Amino acid sequence: MRKLLITSVILFTSILTFGQNEFDNIIEGPVFKDQTNWTQILSSEDDGNGGLVIVRTFHVHSRSNAEAYYIEHYDSDLKLTNRVKTDNASSNIIIDNGVINMIMFGLDEATNAYEFNLLSSSIESMKFEKKHLCSSGEDQKLSMSLYASSKTYDPNSFGTVYFSENKNYSALIFDIKNEEEATHKVFVFNKKFEQVKEYTFKKNIPDVFFDFQSINVDDTDGSILLLGKVFENNTRKLIKDDKVNYHYELFKLTNNGQEKVDLQTNNNFVKSLVPVRKGNNLSYVGFYGKDKEEKSNGVCRFDINIKNLSIEKSSFAQFSDDFIIEKLGKKSDKGLKDLNINAGYMQDNGNIILAAEEQLDKYGQHTGITYLYDDIISIKMNNNGELTWAKNIIKEQADTYFDVANTVHASYGSVFKNDKLYYFFNASPKIKESKNGVVEFGKFKRDKSAIYCVILDENGKSNYKKIYEDKDLDILFHTEDNIIDAEGNIIIFGDSGEQKRFLKIKI
């Protein structure tokens, strides 16, 4: 199977039912032709009126870097209304009252300072005007990763943008090169792109021992929480003196400096933590392993009191024996491999739903990077941090990122709506189902695939539905390159050579 460029096998180890059609209203956009066969979605955003703005790359041949970018607007019927071709673009866009705002990062050659600029235009005109937002400072060098592994690469190297929950505020981050002291500059802007805050964050340890994790921006006042992974004992070794050699620290940046609270791993391996937030309720969640970072034995959760920056409660919930048997076919305490959280959703009562996946990167001299997407894991934690249920979808898929023309990377898209978790993915148009209820979604090919949806309700009960198959044009829809509109519907981009199309699935 690994020799095939586009492969997908998806099995459910628990019984599924063939669900009723919840997707009677599917809108097919018109088929249009490009000047190129090779394009990828860089960013997408709901325009607030049922349409969308797309930023995508333009490649002259399969192995080239992006030669240009399209910025496009599509109406509620997914028809192209306006397009501009540009030499540069960004994934950081905000649509506000019919105006496209795009935050750009670059180097000002005149001052030798790295800077963020804003390009703004009405959707109708697509004539962008430039506004300077902030800069790192003249001749201020920015940090590059001080260690070779891509898994420890600081995402803030050069510059990164974070948005609040509803994009009322944006935070622009520079990772300042300072080997003696971890340093980040943070600029906060409101929705009118007026600067409201500026911070210089410093942690008094060598930069190599501090891994920036994320910024969380408050949607009501733009206040900033910064999470870092801190290595101990002046070494990046994961274990020192038979103990896990790191912990996490959460900082609240203020005008008077910074406040801090420690998030301890309780001698578990916690590779990373991600924020899950709804309003003033904030939690950091991640997988933990007893023996290795790459192996997961359960889920941890830290509930944060934002006002006084304290941990209200924390938990380490182990996977149940039933789930491990369902997943592996036998009891095991070795843990699950290479789990990554792709999305987290918080309910009003504080319960958290996680959509995760087994993912592994392989590097080949002649094949480029191969991304292996294996099982999908769905998890529900209640507001006490207990594991309510965990569900498994057995899936195999390999995507090679070498030729742009052959890049498929169609794993899945997820939507959480009305207390249900929806997964959308490609698979073979033909389904196999065993006598004991195990469902197999077989291998798919670029020119022969169908879109399926698997739905998990509040109790973890599952059903599935084949919702779309294009038998005439052989267009493959990239379910992971999706847009969730203001009503919670999913819009998916598809292509087959020069032919392109958008598909809206109303949920």
Side-chain angles (χ1 to χ4, degrees), residues 124-353:
E124 290 77 13
S125 71
M126 289 286 187
K127 294 180 180 179
F128 287 87
E129 297 182 357
K130 182 177 178 180
K131 173 186 176 181
H132 176 76
L133 293 178
C134 60
S135 68
S136 61
E138 188 171 345
D139 294 321
Q140 179 70 68
K141 294 183 178 180
L142 301 188
S143 176
M144 287 292 292
S145 175
L146 300 178
Y147 19 89
S149 173
S150 62
K151 293 184 178 180
T152 58
Y153 185 82
D154 190 334
N156 259 349
S157 293
F158 293 129
T160 308
V161 179
Y162 289 85
F163 296 111
S164 63
E165 187 175 2
N166 297 305
K167 291 191 172 182
N168 286 320
Y169 291 88
S170 55
L172 315 184
I173 321 296
F174 295 101
D175 182 4
I176 304 301
K177 186 175 182 179
N178 185 349
E179 296 182 7
E180 297 179 355
E181 192 174 35
T183 306
H184 291 75
K185 291 188 72 172
V186 182
F187 297 85
V188 183
F189 291 82
N190 61 20
K191 205 166 187 177
K192 296 179 180 179
F193 292 97
E194 300 166 331
Q195 183 177 319
V196 294
K197 303 176 190 292
E198 177 182 345
Y199 305 107
T200 298
F201 165 82
K202 290 188 177 183
K203 172 67 177 175
N204 190 25
I205 59 172
D207 189 56
V208 70
F209 301 133
F210 182 86
D211 284 359
F212 172 92
Q213 295 288 296
S214 64
I215 287 282
N216 190 265
V217 189
D218 191 282
D219 199 56
T220 58
D221 63 8
S223 58
I224 297 294
L225 295 175
L226 186 152
L227 182 69
K229 185 176 184 179
V230 180
F231 288 85
E232 303 166 2
N233 300 304
N234 292 317
T235 177
R236 286 189 62 87
K237 290 182 178 180
L238 300 181
I239 302 175
K240 179 73 173 177
D241 298 328
D242 297 323
K243 295 181 180 179
V244 174
N245 191 50
Y246 60 80
H247 63 279
Y248 289 84
E249 294 182 1
L250 181 65
F251 299 86
K252 184 175 184 178
L253 307 188
T254 69
N255 294 330
N256 298 320
Q258 54 205 38
E259 304 171 11
K260 177 179 76 72
V261 63
D262 291 351
L263 283 60
Q264 298 291 345
T265 70
N266 293 355
N267 210 32
N268 293 299
F269 292 91
V270 181
K271 185 177 179 180
S272 62
L273 292 171
V274 298
V276 181
R277 183 167 184 169
K278 188 168 188 179
N280 290 323
N281 296 320
L282 172 65
S283 298
Y284 286 88
V285 296
F287 292 108
Y288 75 90
K290 295 179 179 179
D291 301 315
K292 296 180 180 179
E293 273 200 339
E294 290 75 21
K295 296 284 188 175
S296 299
N297 297 96
V299 189
C300 61
R301 173 175 176 173
F302 299 87
D303 292 343
I304 306 300
N305 184 314
I306 297 174
K307 290 184 179 180
N308 60 23
L309 194 64
S310 62
I311 300 174
E312 292 186 335
K313 55 180 174 288
S314 62
S315 64
F316 289 78
Q318 185 171 326
F319 294 134
S320 68
D321 288 340
D322 289 341
F323 173 67
I324 294 299
I325 292 171
E326 175 186 322
K327 173 79 174 67
L328 302 177
K330 61 180 181 180
K331 279 190 175 182
S332 175
D333 58 1
K334 293 183 179 180
L336 307 181
K337 64 176 183 179
D338 297 306
L339 294 185
N340 291 286
I341 297 173
N342 294 334
Y345 309 96
M346 184 177 288
Q347 296 178 290
D348 291 336
N349 61 5
N351 293 344
I352 288 178
I353 313 295

Side-chain angles (χ1 to χ4, degrees), residues 319-320 323 326 377-380 387-392 456:
F319 294 134
S320 68
F323 173 67
E326 175 186 322
I377 309 293
S378 306
I379 290 169
K380 182 176 182 179
L387 191 60
T388 305
W389 49 254
K391 300 296 178 180
N392 185 59
L456 280 73

Side-chain angles (χ1 to χ4, degrees), residues 34 36 38-43 54-59 65-70 89 404 500:
D34 256 353
T36 179
W38 307 294
T39 185
Q40 290 181 304
I41 299 290
L42 183 64
S43 182
I54 295 290
V55 182
R56 60 189 179 96
T57 60
F58 178 95
H59 303 261
N65 294 324
E67 298 290 331
Y69 300 84
Y70 286 132
V404 173
K500 311 291 190 297

Side-chain angles (χ1 to χ4, degrees), residues 21-39:
N21 189 356
E22 300 195 22
F23 309 102
D24 292 326
N25 196 352
I26 296 179
I27 298 175
E28 295 177 298
V31 177
F32 61 94
K33 287 190 176 183
D34 256 353
Q35 299 176 0
T36 179
N37 291 350
W38 307 294
T39 185

Side-chain angles (χ1 to χ4, degrees), residues 308-501:
N308 60 23
L309 194 64
S310 62
I311 300 174
E312 292 186 335
K313 55 180 174 288
S314 62
S315 64
F316 289 78
Q318 185 171 326
F319 294 134
S320 68
D321 288 340
D322 289 341
F323 173 67
I324 294 299
I325 292 171
E326 175 186 322
K327 173 79 174 67
L328 302 177
K330 61 180 181 180
K331 279 190 175 182
S332 175
D333 58 1
K334 293 183 179 180
L336 307 181
K337 64 176 183 179
D338 297 306
L339 294 185
N340 291 286
I341 297 173
N342 294 334
Y345 309 96
M346 184 177 288
Q347 296 178 290
D348 291 336
N349 61 5
N351 293 344
I352 288 178
I353 313 295
L354 299 178
E357 188 171 27
E358 291 178 329
Q359 183 177 338
L360 179 65
D361 305 343
K362 287 190 174 181
Y363 299 83
Q365 182 177 359
H366 302 293
T367 59
I369 304 174
T370 299
Y371 293 88
L372 305 180
Y373 300 98
D374 293 329
D375 294 6
I376 295 175
I377 309 293
S378 306
I379 290 169
K380 182 176 182 179
M381 300 185 78
N382 65 22
N383 53 21
N384 289 319
E386 299 166 328
L387 191 60
T388 305
W389 49 254
K391 300 296 178 180
N392 185 59
I393 305 171
I394 300 176
K395 174 179 70 69
E396 287 187 62
Q397 182 173 316
D399 300 333
T400 300
Y401 282 51
F402 187 68
D403 292 354
V404 173
N406 291 325
T407 299
V408 178
H409 55 84
S411 184
Y412 72 84
S414 65
V415 178
F416 187 72
K417 185 176 181 180
N418 298 327
D419 294 326
K420 293 182 180 180
L421 180 59
Y422 296 80
Y423 288 108
F424 298 88
F425 54 82
N426 293 286
S428 167
K430 295 183 179 180
I431 299 176
K432 296 180 182 179
E433 185 171 350
S434 67
K435 293 181 180 180
N436 62 0
V438 175
V439 178
E440 177 179 341
F441 300 90
K443 303 175 185 177
F444 74 90
K445 298 180 180 179
R446 178 179 254 282
D447 59 351
K448 193 174 184 181
S449 69
I451 299 176
Y452 291 86
C453 180
V454 172
I455 307 168
L456 280 73
D457 67 14
E458 193 168 5
N459 299 314
K461 184 179 179 181
S462 308
N463 61 64
Y464 70 92
K465 181 73 178 179
K466 181 167 75 171
I467 59 174
Y468 187 82
E469 181 181 356
D470 191 332
K471 296 181 179 180
D472 300 322
L473 299 174
D474 297 329
I475 288 179
L476 177 67
F477 288 92
H478 304 279
T479 52
E480 84 296 345
D481 282 339
N482 59 71
I483 307 99
I484 310 301
D485 68 15
E487 298 177 352
N489 304 310
I490 188 169
I491 303 170
I492 303 171
F493 172 73
D495 65 350
S496 177
E498 292 183 350
Q499 297 182 113
K500 311 291 190 297
R501 171 178 258 178

